[in-house]
Amino acid sequence: MRRLLKDLGYTGESRATDETVSHVLKHPEAVVFVAAAGLDVLGYVAVSVRPQMRLAGLLASVDELVVGTTRRGEGIGTKLLEAAVAHAKNMHCKRIDVLQSRARESYLRGFYQKHHFVEVDTAVMRIDLT
Ligand SMILES: CC(C)(COP(=O)(O)OP(=O)(O)OC[C@H]1O[C@@H](n2cnc3c(N)ncnc32)[C@H](O)[C@@H]1OP(=O)(O)O)[C@@H](O)C(=O)NCCC(=O)NCCS
């Protein structure tokens, strides 16, 4: 998972400690679907689901989606994204969102658009608290 986070572009200090991975896996609102060959993790998608008053229901978010650099273009990312959407539907979510950098290759290739996601005009406002 740490190696894949690096492939996702989060380099430098190790973001995913055993503690944070374990925290996500145990979190009642989070699920992680993994594509694996034996014990080798080829890719994963992390999804969280939480209630929103404004939606009068649940909102799902694709928090992280990554496939190892050597295994891209084989359909693994598509299967992981389909698993995320199927999970959101099974949970009766009203919506599934993903926040993505416009500089990413997958954005430029229209990866999410090819899978029926529609870009909306929402600004992300942030305070970095680290
Ligand atoms: C986005 C990502 C998850 C897609 O995973 P994937 O397993 O390569 O996805 P698929 O094979 O299902 O589809 C990839 C698409 O790009 C094409 N592609 C081919 N080679 C590729 C490559 N080396 N890298 C990326 N895409 C490639 C595929 O042909 C496909 O396009 P198509 O549907 O028009 O044929 C993966 O490229 C990745 O991990 N990127 C870096 C992290 C990222 O951008 N994550 C999403 C934002 S959070």
Side-chain angles (χ1 to χ4, degrees), residues 4 7-10 44 62-69 71-80 98-101 104-107 109 111-112 114-115:
L4 288 171
D7 286 350
L8 193 50
Y10 295 115
Y44 74 87
V62 176
D63 298 321
E64 288 163 19
L65 169 63
V66 62
V67 171
T69 47
R71 299 298 299 263
R72 289 184 189 164
E74 296 178 27
I76 297 170
T78 293
K79 286 206 172 110
L80 287 168
V98 61
L99 297 183
Q100 193 184 26
S101 161
R104 276 199 189 280
E105 191 194 349
S106 51
Y107 175 82
R109 279 175 183 263
F111 178 77
Y112 285 101
K114 280 180 199 157
H115 295 92

mmCIF file of all heavy atoms in Angstrom, residues 4 7-10 44 62-69 71-80 98-101 104-107 109 111-112 114-115, ligand 1:
data_model
loop_
_atom_site.group_PDB
_atom_site.id
_atom_site.type_symbol
_atom_site.label_atom_id
_atom_site.label_comp_id
_atom_site.label_asym_id
_atom_site.label_seq_id
_atom_site.Cartn_x
_atom_site.Cartn_y
_atom_site.Cartn_z
ATOM 1 N N LEU A 4 2.187 1.805 -3.443
ATOM 2 C CA LEU A 4 1.147 2.324 -4.337
ATOM 3 C C LEU A 4 0.864 3.795 -4.055
ATOM 4 O O LEU A 4 0.594 4.566 -4.976
ATOM 5 C CB LEU A 4 -0.121 1.485 -4.210
ATOM 6 C CG LEU A 4 0.000 0.093 -4.844
ATOM 7 C CD1 LEU A 4 -1.197 -0.759 -4.486
ATOM 8 C CD2 LEU A 4 0.124 0.191 -6.349
ATOM 9 N N ASP A 7 3.156 5.596 -5.996
ATOM 10 C CA ASP A 7 2.719 5.628 -7.401
ATOM 11 C C ASP A 7 1.622 6.668 -7.601
ATOM 12 O O ASP A 7 1.442 7.202 -8.691
ATOM 13 C CB ASP A 7 2.184 4.250 -7.837
ATOM 14 C CG ASP A 7 3.307 3.239 -8.029
ATOM 15 O OD1 ASP A 7 4.478 3.653 -8.010
ATOM 16 O OD2 ASP A 7 3.002 2.055 -8.192
ATOM 17 N N LEU A 8 0.865 6.935 -6.546
ATOM 18 C CA LEU A 8 -0.214 7.928 -6.616
ATOM 19 C C LEU A 8 0.380 9.339 -6.568
ATOM 20 O O LEU A 8 -0.305 10.321 -6.786
ATOM 21 C CB LEU A 8 -1.175 7.682 -5.449
ATOM 22 C CG LEU A 8 -2.541 8.337 -5.376
ATOM 23 C CD1 LEU A 8 -3.329 8.171 -6.662
ATOM 24 C CD2 LEU A 8 -3.344 7.771 -4.220
ATOM 25 N N GLY A 9 1.662 9.429 -6.260
ATOM 26 C CA GLY A 9 2.339 10.727 -6.292
ATOM 27 C C GLY A 9 2.647 11.288 -4.919
ATOM 28 O O GLY A 9 3.173 12.385 -4.795
ATOM 29 N N TYR A 10 2.287 10.529 -3.859
ATOM 30 C CA TYR A 10 2.561 11.013 -2.504
ATOM 31 C C TYR A 10 3.928 10.499 -2.077
ATOM 32 O O TYR A 10 4.059 9.455 -1.461
ATOM 33 C CB TYR A 10 1.462 10.567 -1.538
ATOM 34 C CG TYR A 10 0.144 11.192 -1.874
ATOM 35 C CD1 TYR A 10 -0.928 10.425 -2.299
ATOM 36 C CD2 TYR A 10 -0.017 12.569 -1.791
ATOM 37 C CE1 TYR A 10 -2.130 11.009 -2.632
ATOM 38 C CE2 TYR A 10 -1.216 13.162 -2.125
ATOM 39 C CZ TYR A 10 -2.265 12.381 -2.542
ATOM 40 O OH TYR A 10 -3.454 12.955 -2.876
ATOM 41 N N TYR A 44 -5.540 -0.540 -5.462
ATOM 42 C CA TYR A 44 -6.625 -0.494 -4.479
ATOM 43 C C TYR A 44 -7.457 0.766 -4.685
ATOM 44 O O TYR A 44 -7.004 1.737 -5.299
ATOM 45 C CB TYR A 44 -6.095 -0.562 -3.035
ATOM 46 C CG TYR A 44 -5.431 0.701 -2.543
ATOM 47 C CD1 TYR A 44 -6.177 1.737 -1.959
ATOM 48 C CD2 TYR A 44 -4.056 0.889 -2.675
ATOM 49 C CE1 TYR A 44 -5.575 2.897 -1.526
ATOM 50 C CE2 TYR A 44 -3.448 2.044 -2.237
ATOM 51 C CZ TYR A 44 -4.202 3.050 -1.659
ATOM 52 O OH TYR A 44 -3.604 4.214 -1.240
ATOM 53 N N VAL A 62 -14.697 8.559 -3.481
ATOM 54 C CA VAL A 62 -13.510 7.772 -3.838
ATOM 55 C C VAL A 62 -12.338 8.558 -3.263
ATOM 56 O O VAL A 62 -12.004 9.636 -3.750
ATOM 57 C CB VAL A 62 -13.363 7.626 -5.366
ATOM 58 C CG1 VAL A 62 -12.081 6.887 -5.718
ATOM 59 C CG2 VAL A 62 -14.574 6.905 -5.955
ATOM 60 N N ASP A 63 -11.745 8.068 -2.186
ATOM 61 C CA ASP A 63 -10.679 8.815 -1.503
ATOM 62 C C ASP A 63 -9.315 8.579 -2.142
ATOM 63 O O ASP A 63 -8.494 9.494 -2.210
ATOM 64 C CB ASP A 63 -10.640 8.432 -0.024
ATOM 65 C CG ASP A 63 -11.935 8.790 0.678
ATOM 66 O OD1 ASP A 63 -12.497 9.856 0.371
ATOM 67 O OD2 ASP A 63 -12.408 7.996 1.511
ATOM 68 N N GLU A 64 -9.065 7.353 -2.559
ATOM 69 C CA GLU A 64 -7.792 7.024 -3.226
ATOM 70 C C GLU A 64 -8.064 5.904 -4.220
ATOM 71 O O GLU A 64 -8.782 4.957 -3.895
ATOM 72 C CB GLU A 64 -6.743 6.529 -2.205
ATOM 73 C CG GLU A 64 -6.202 7.620 -1.313
ATOM 74 C CD GLU A 64 -5.507 7.099 -0.060
ATOM 75 O OE1 GLU A 64 -5.111 5.914 -0.011
ATOM 76 O OE2 GLU A 64 -5.381 7.891 0.888
ATOM 77 N N LEU A 65 -7.497 6.026 -5.412
ATOM 78 C CA LEU A 65 -7.566 4.951 -6.418
ATOM 79 C C LEU A 65 -6.215 4.903 -7.097
ATOM 80 O O LEU A 65 -5.761 5.915 -7.649
ATOM 81 C CB LEU A 65 -8.661 5.234 -7.451
ATOM 82 C CG LEU A 65 -8.662 4.333 -8.697
ATOM 83 C CD1 LEU A 65 -8.909 2.872 -8.353
ATOM 84 C CD2 LEU A 65 -9.719 4.804 -9.697
ATOM 85 N N VAL A 66 -5.577 3.776 -7.046
ATOM 86 C CA VAL A 66 -4.255 3.676 -7.670
ATOM 87 C C VAL A 66 -3.973 2.248 -8.116
ATOM 88 O O VAL A 66 -4.368 1.284 -7.460
ATOM 89 C CB VAL A 66 -3.144 4.207 -6.712
ATOM 90 C CG1 VAL A 66 -3.055 3.390 -5.444
ATOM 91 C CG2 VAL A 66 -1.781 4.240 -7.403
ATOM 92 N N VAL A 67 -3.328 2.158 -9.266
ATOM 93 C CA VAL A 67 -2.847 0.877 -9.798
ATOM 94 C C VAL A 67 -1.337 1.043 -9.974
ATOM 95 O O VAL A 67 -0.877 2.109 -10.426
ATOM 96 C CB VAL A 67 -3.536 0.554 -11.144
ATOM 97 C CG1 VAL A 67 -2.902 -0.661 -11.815
ATOM 98 C CG2 VAL A 67 -5.030 0.323 -10.933
ATOM 99 N N GLY A 68 -0.568 0.046 -9.619
ATOM 100 C CA GLY A 68 0.893 0.096 -9.749
ATOM 101 C C GLY A 68 1.295 0.459 -11.164
ATOM 102 O O GLY A 68 0.648 0.030 -12.131
ATOM 103 N N THR A 69 2.372 1.231 -11.291
ATOM 104 C CA THR A 69 2.756 1.772 -12.603
ATOM 105 C C THR A 69 2.963 0.679 -13.660
ATOM 106 O O THR A 69 2.664 0.898 -14.827
ATOM 107 C CB THR A 69 4.059 2.605 -12.500
ATOM 108 O OG1 THR A 69 4.997 1.859 -11.740
ATOM 109 C CG2 THR A 69 3.815 3.929 -11.837
ATOM 110 N N ARG A 71 1.372 -2.068 -14.020
ATOM 111 C CA ARG A 71 0.164 -2.832 -14.370
ATOM 112 C C ARG A 71 -0.974 -1.948 -14.879
ATOM 113 O O ARG A 71 -2.127 -2.367 -14.902
ATOM 114 C CB ARG A 71 -0.306 -3.656 -13.144
ATOM 115 C CG ARG A 71 0.711 -4.661 -12.645
ATOM 116 C CD ARG A 71 1.036 -5.723 -13.696
ATOM 117 N NE ARG A 71 -0.132 -6.488 -14.082
ATOM 118 C CZ ARG A 71 -0.442 -7.690 -13.569
ATOM 119 N NH1 ARG A 71 0.349 -8.259 -12.689
ATOM 120 N NH2 ARG A 71 -1.524 -8.325 -13.970
ATOM 121 N N ARG A 72 -0.662 -0.726 -15.258
ATOM 122 C CA ARG A 72 -1.727 0.170 -15.760
ATOM 123 C C ARG A 72 -2.135 -0.197 -17.179
ATOM 124 O O ARG A 72 -1.357 -0.788 -17.917
ATOM 125 C CB ARG A 72 -1.243 1.619 -15.695
ATOM 126 C CG ARG A 72 -1.175 2.067 -14.253
ATOM 127 C CD ARG A 72 -0.805 3.506 -14.098
ATOM 128 N NE ARG A 72 -0.569 3.743 -12.669
ATOM 129 C CZ ARG A 72 0.052 4.795 -12.177
ATOM 130 N NH1 ARG A 72 0.484 5.731 -12.972
ATOM 131 N NH2 ARG A 72 0.208 4.912 -10.871
ATOM 132 N N GLY A 73 -3.343 0.180 -17.539
ATOM 133 C CA GLY A 73 -3.825 -0.066 -18.894
ATOM 134 C C GLY A 73 -4.299 -1.487 -19.123
ATOM 135 O O GLY A 73 -4.508 -1.893 -20.261
ATOM 136 N N GLU A 74 -4.496 -2.264 -18.029
ATOM 137 C CA GLU A 74 -4.963 -3.659 -18.155
ATOM 138 C C GLU A 74 -6.404 -3.825 -17.684
ATOM 139 O O GLU A 74 -6.901 -4.940 -17.583
ATOM 140 C CB GLU A 74 -4.078 -4.596 -17.312
ATOM 141 C CG GLU A 74 -2.645 -4.676 -17.760
ATOM 142 C CD GLU A 74 -1.825 -5.595 -16.847
ATOM 143 O OE1 GLU A 74 -2.389 -6.522 -16.238
ATOM 144 O OE2 GLU A 74 -0.608 -5.365 -16.742
ATOM 145 N N GLY A 75 -7.036 -2.735 -17.322
ATOM 146 C CA GLY A 75 -8.434 -2.825 -16.882
ATOM 147 C C GLY A 75 -8.600 -2.960 -15.375
ATOM 148 O O GLY A 75 -9.728 -3.047 -14.878
ATOM 149 N N ILE A 76 -7.484 -2.946 -14.627
ATOM 150 C CA ILE A 76 -7.583 -3.124 -13.165
ATOM 151 C C ILE A 76 -8.256 -1.904 -12.527
ATOM 152 O O ILE A 76 -9.147 -2.040 -11.681
ATOM 153 C CB ILE A 76 -6.182 -3.362 -12.551
ATOM 154 C CG1 ILE A 76 -5.585 -4.663 -13.097
ATOM 155 C CG2 ILE A 76 -6.248 -3.398 -11.029
ATOM 156 C CD1 ILE A 76 -4.114 -4.881 -12.756
ATOM 157 N N GLY A 77 -7.859 -0.693 -12.968
ATOM 158 C CA GLY A 77 -8.454 0.533 -12.421
ATOM 159 C C GLY A 77 -9.952 0.582 -12.684
ATOM 160 O O GLY A 77 -10.738 0.980 -11.814
ATOM 161 N N THR A 78 -10.358 0.146 -13.873
ATOM 162 C CA THR A 78 -11.791 0.120 -14.209
ATOM 163 C C THR A 78 -12.537 -0.801 -13.251
ATOM 164 O O THR A 78 -13.589 -0.435 -12.715
ATOM 165 C CB THR A 78 -11.972 -0.360 -15.670
ATOM 166 O OG1 THR A 78 -11.416 0.633 -16.533
ATOM 167 C CG2 THR A 78 -13.434 -0.578 -16.022
ATOM 168 N N LYS A 79 -11.977 -1.992 -13.006
ATOM 169 C CA LYS A 79 -12.651 -2.952 -12.107
ATOM 170 C C LYS A 79 -12.733 -2.401 -10.687
ATOM 171 O O LYS A 79 -13.754 -2.557 -10.013
ATOM 172 C CB LYS A 79 -11.906 -4.290 -12.105
ATOM 173 C CG LYS A 79 -12.118 -5.078 -13.375
ATOM 174 C CD LYS A 79 -11.939 -6.567 -13.117
ATOM 175 C CE LYS A 79 -12.339 -7.363 -14.344
ATOM 176 N NZ LYS A 79 -11.226 -7.990 -15.030
ATOM 177 N N LEU A 80 -11.670 -1.719 -10.244
ATOM 178 C CA LEU A 80 -11.685 -1.153 -8.884
ATOM 179 C C LEU A 80 -12.734 -0.050 -8.783
ATOM 180 O O LEU A 80 -13.490 0.025 -7.809
ATOM 181 C CB LEU A 80 -10.299 -0.615 -8.525
ATOM 182 C CG LEU A 80 -9.234 -1.683 -8.243
ATOM 183 C CD1 LEU A 80 -7.848 -1.045 -8.186
ATOM 184 C CD2 LEU A 80 -9.525 -2.424 -6.938
ATOM 185 N N VAL A 98 -15.526 12.213 -6.533
ATOM 186 C CA VAL A 98 -14.073 12.047 -6.434
ATOM 187 C C VAL A 98 -13.441 13.412 -6.631
ATOM 188 O O VAL A 98 -13.896 14.199 -7.475
ATOM 189 C CB VAL A 98 -13.549 11.019 -7.466
ATOM 190 C CG1 VAL A 98 -13.819 11.429 -8.900
ATOM 191 C CG2 VAL A 98 -12.055 10.762 -7.275
ATOM 192 N N LEU A 99 -12.469 13.756 -5.810
ATOM 193 C CA LEU A 99 -11.696 14.987 -6.001
ATOM 194 C C LEU A 99 -10.411 14.600 -6.694
ATOM 195 O O LEU A 99 -9.735 13.671 -6.269
ATOM 196 C CB LEU A 99 -11.353 15.635 -4.650
ATOM 197 C CG LEU A 99 -12.505 16.105 -3.797
ATOM 198 C CD1 LEU A 99 -11.978 16.777 -2.534
ATOM 199 C CD2 LEU A 99 -13.374 17.083 -4.567
ATOM 200 N N GLN A 100 -10.088 15.296 -7.766
ATOM 201 C CA GLN A 100 -8.916 14.909 -8.525
ATOM 202 C C GLN A 100 -8.166 16.115 -9.031
ATOM 203 O O GLN A 100 -8.780 17.111 -9.442
ATOM 204 C CB GLN A 100 -9.363 14.043 -9.717
ATOM 205 C CG GLN A 100 -8.203 13.355 -10.358
ATOM 206 C CD GLN A 100 -8.581 12.569 -11.587
ATOM 207 O OE1 GLN A 100 -9.561 12.866 -12.246
ATOM 208 N NE2 GLN A 100 -7.774 11.596 -11.904
ATOM 209 N N SER A 101 -6.853 16.051 -9.018
ATOM 210 C CA SER A 101 -6.036 17.126 -9.582
ATOM 211 C C SER A 101 -6.199 17.138 -11.106
ATOM 212 O O SER A 101 -6.134 16.087 -11.747
ATOM 213 C CB SER A 101 -4.570 16.898 -9.219
ATOM 214 O OG SER A 101 -3.761 17.645 -10.089
ATOM 215 N N ARG A 104 -3.357 15.523 -13.210
ATOM 216 C CA ARG A 104 -3.105 14.075 -13.295
ATOM 217 C C ARG A 104 -3.338 13.546 -14.699
ATOM 218 O O ARG A 104 -4.270 13.950 -15.382
ATOM 219 C CB ARG A 104 -4.052 13.324 -12.354
ATOM 220 C CG ARG A 104 -3.562 13.267 -10.939
ATOM 221 C CD ARG A 104 -4.255 12.152 -10.180
ATOM 222 N NE ARG A 104 -3.930 12.236 -8.762
ATOM 223 C CZ ARG A 104 -2.793 11.794 -8.250
ATOM 224 N NH1 ARG A 104 -1.891 11.231 -9.006
ATOM 225 N NH2 ARG A 104 -2.569 11.918 -6.961
ATOM 226 N N GLU A 105 -2.498 12.554 -15.057
ATOM 227 C CA GLU A 105 -2.638 11.940 -16.377
ATOM 228 C C GLU A 105 -4.031 11.336 -16.538
ATOM 229 O O GLU A 105 -4.658 11.435 -17.591
ATOM 230 C CB GLU A 105 -1.562 10.857 -16.563
ATOM 231 C CG GLU A 105 -1.476 10.379 -17.996
ATOM 232 C CD GLU A 105 -0.688 9.089 -18.156
ATOM 233 O OE1 GLU A 105 -0.023 8.649 -17.217
ATOM 234 O OE2 GLU A 105 -0.771 8.531 -19.270
ATOM 235 N N SER A 106 -4.534 10.727 -15.458
ATOM 236 C CA SER A 106 -5.851 10.082 -15.554
ATOM 237 C C SER A 106 -6.948 11.117 -15.814
ATOM 238 O O SER A 106 -7.923 10.844 -16.514
ATOM 239 C CB SER A 106 -6.147 9.276 -14.288
ATOM 240 O OG SER A 106 -5.954 10.057 -13.139
ATOM 241 N N TYR A 107 -6.764 12.352 -15.267
ATOM 242 C CA TYR A 107 -7.731 13.427 -15.545
ATOM 243 C C TYR A 107 -7.639 13.818 -17.023
ATOM 244 O O TYR A 107 -8.648 13.943 -17.717
ATOM 245 C CB TYR A 107 -7.455 14.639 -14.649
ATOM 246 C CG TYR A 107 -8.351 15.813 -14.983
ATOM 247 C CD1 TYR A 107 -9.649 15.866 -14.477
ATOM 248 C CD2 TYR A 107 -7.918 16.834 -15.820
ATOM 249 C CE1 TYR A 107 -10.484 16.928 -14.800
ATOM 250 C CE2 TYR A 107 -8.748 17.890 -16.144
ATOM 251 C CZ TYR A 107 -10.026 17.928 -15.634
ATOM 252 O OH TYR A 107 -10.853 18.973 -15.961
ATOM 253 N N ARG A 109 -6.631 12.050 -19.457
ATOM 254 C CA ARG A 109 -7.139 10.963 -20.300
ATOM 255 C C ARG A 109 -8.656 10.804 -20.177
ATOM 256 O O ARG A 109 -9.250 9.984 -20.863
ATOM 257 C CB ARG A 109 -6.531 9.630 -19.868
ATOM 258 C CG ARG A 109 -5.143 9.351 -20.376
ATOM 259 C CD ARG A 109 -4.657 8.053 -19.750
ATOM 260 N NE ARG A 109 -3.296 7.725 -20.129
ATOM 261 C CZ ARG A 109 -2.973 6.885 -21.112
ATOM 262 N NH1 ARG A 109 -3.910 6.276 -21.800
ATOM 263 N NH2 ARG A 109 -1.718 6.638 -21.387
ATOM 264 N N PHE A 111 -10.326 9.562 -17.545
ATOM 265 C CA PHE A 111 -10.612 8.240 -16.962
ATOM 266 C C PHE A 111 -11.991 8.209 -16.289
ATOM 267 O O PHE A 111 -12.794 7.314 -16.542
ATOM 268 C CB PHE A 111 -9.507 7.869 -15.958
ATOM 269 C CG PHE A 111 -9.739 6.557 -15.267
ATOM 270 C CD1 PHE A 111 -9.499 5.357 -15.922
ATOM 271 C CD2 PHE A 111 -10.197 6.514 -13.958
ATOM 272 C CE1 PHE A 111 -9.714 4.134 -15.292
ATOM 273 C CE2 PHE A 111 -10.410 5.299 -13.314
ATOM 274 C CZ PHE A 111 -10.170 4.106 -13.989
ATOM 275 N N TYR A 112 -12.275 9.186 -15.440
ATOM 276 C CA TYR A 112 -13.556 9.160 -14.715
ATOM 277 C C TYR A 112 -14.736 9.443 -15.652
ATOM 278 O O TYR A 112 -15.792 8.841 -15.523
ATOM 279 C CB TYR A 112 -13.531 10.140 -13.545
ATOM 280 C CG TYR A 112 -12.699 9.633 -12.392
ATOM 281 C CD1 TYR A 112 -11.412 10.095 -12.169
ATOM 282 C CD2 TYR A 112 -13.191 8.656 -11.534
ATOM 283 C CE1 TYR A 112 -10.639 9.613 -11.124
ATOM 284 C CE2 TYR A 112 -12.435 8.169 -10.486
ATOM 285 C CZ TYR A 112 -11.162 8.652 -10.290
ATOM 286 O OH TYR A 112 -10.417 8.150 -9.259
ATOM 287 N N LYS A 114 -14.978 8.583 -18.671
ATOM 288 C CA LYS A 114 -15.274 7.349 -19.407
ATOM 289 C C LYS A 114 -16.115 6.400 -18.571
ATOM 290 O O LYS A 114 -16.694 5.459 -19.091
ATOM 291 C CB LYS A 114 -13.976 6.646 -19.802
ATOM 292 C CG LYS A 114 -13.316 7.235 -21.019
ATOM 293 C CD LYS A 114 -12.041 6.486 -21.362
ATOM 294 C CE LYS A 114 -11.167 7.358 -22.254
ATOM 295 N NZ LYS A 114 -9.749 6.977 -22.183
ATOM 296 N N HIS A 115 -16.125 6.656 -17.252
ATOM 297 C CA HIS A 115 -16.898 5.789 -16.361
ATOM 298 C C HIS A 115 -18.099 6.546 -15.775
ATOM 299 O O HIS A 115 -18.481 6.328 -14.631
ATOM 300 C CB HIS A 115 -15.984 5.217 -15.277
ATOM 301 C CG HIS A 115 -14.938 4.309 -15.858
ATOM 302 N ND1 HIS A 115 -13.695 4.753 -16.231
ATOM 303 C CD2 HIS A 115 -14.982 3.005 -16.182
ATOM 304 C CE1 HIS A 115 -13.003 3.739 -16.743
ATOM 305 N NE2 HIS A 115 -13.764 2.678 -16.733
HETATM 306 C C1 LIG B 1 -6.135 6.069 -13.051
HETATM 307 C C2 LIG B 1 -5.716 4.626 -12.817
HETATM 308 C C3 LIG B 1 -6.219 4.155 -11.466
HETATM 309 C C4 LIG B 1 -6.328 3.768 -13.916
HETATM 310 O O1 LIG B 1 -5.954 2.424 -13.671
HETATM 311 P P1 LIG B 1 -5.735 1.417 -14.914
HETATM 312 O O2 LIG B 1 -5.666 0.032 -14.374
HETATM 313 O O3 LIG B 1 -4.586 1.900 -15.733
HETATM 314 O O4 LIG B 1 -7.118 1.643 -15.684
HETATM 315 P P2 LIG B 1 -7.707 0.859 -16.931
HETATM 316 O O5 LIG B 1 -6.679 -0.076 -17.490
HETATM 317 O O6 LIG B 1 -8.989 0.298 -16.485
HETATM 318 O O7 LIG B 1 -8.012 2.047 -17.935
HETATM 319 C C5 LIG B 1 -7.018 3.049 -18.183
HETATM 320 C C6 LIG B 1 -7.289 3.826 -19.400
HETATM 321 O O8 LIG B 1 -6.069 4.429 -19.803
HETATM 322 C C7 LIG B 1 -5.481 3.664 -20.863
HETATM 323 N N1 LIG B 1 -4.091 3.356 -20.546
HETATM 324 C C8 LIG B 1 -3.308 2.589 -21.272
HETATM 325 N N2 LIG B 1 -2.086 2.555 -20.750
HETATM 326 C C9 LIG B 1 -2.104 3.333 -19.662
HETATM 327 C C10 LIG B 1 -1.128 3.664 -18.710
HETATM 328 N N3 LIG B 1 0.132 3.215 -18.760
HETATM 329 N N4 LIG B 1 -1.475 4.479 -17.681
HETATM 330 C C11 LIG B 1 -2.717 4.939 -17.591
HETATM 331 N N5 LIG B 1 -3.696 4.628 -18.478
HETATM 332 C C12 LIG B 1 -3.381 3.829 -19.520
HETATM 333 C C13 LIG B 1 -6.310 2.434 -20.963
HETATM 334 O O9 LIG B 1 -6.287 1.987 -22.287
HETATM 335 C C14 LIG B 1 -7.683 2.956 -20.528
HETATM 336 O O10 LIG B 1 -8.252 3.798 -21.476
HETATM 337 P P3 LIG B 1 -9.465 3.287 -22.386
HETATM 338 O O11 LIG B 1 -10.582 2.938 -21.429
HETATM 339 O O12 LIG B 1 -9.779 4.447 -23.269
HETATM 340 O O13 LIG B 1 -8.907 2.089 -23.089
HETATM 341 C C15 LIG B 1 -4.162 4.465 -12.903
HETATM 342 O O14 LIG B 1 -3.736 4.955 -14.144
HETATM 343 C C16 LIG B 1 -3.439 5.160 -11.784
HETATM 344 O O15 LIG B 1 -3.207 4.570 -10.731
HETATM 345 N N6 LIG B 1 -3.045 6.429 -12.013
HETATM 346 C C17 LIG B 1 -2.334 7.213 -11.005
HETATM 347 C C18 LIG B 1 -3.227 7.589 -9.865
HETATM 348 C C19 LIG B 1 -4.485 8.296 -10.289
HETATM 349 O O16 LIG B 1 -4.487 9.123 -11.179
HETATM 350 N N7 LIG B 1 -5.592 7.951 -9.625
HETATM 351 C C20 LIG B 1 -6.885 8.549 -9.880
HETATM 352 C C21 LIG B 1 -7.049 9.825 -9.163
HETATM 353 S S1 LIG B 1 -7.242 9.621 -7.440
#
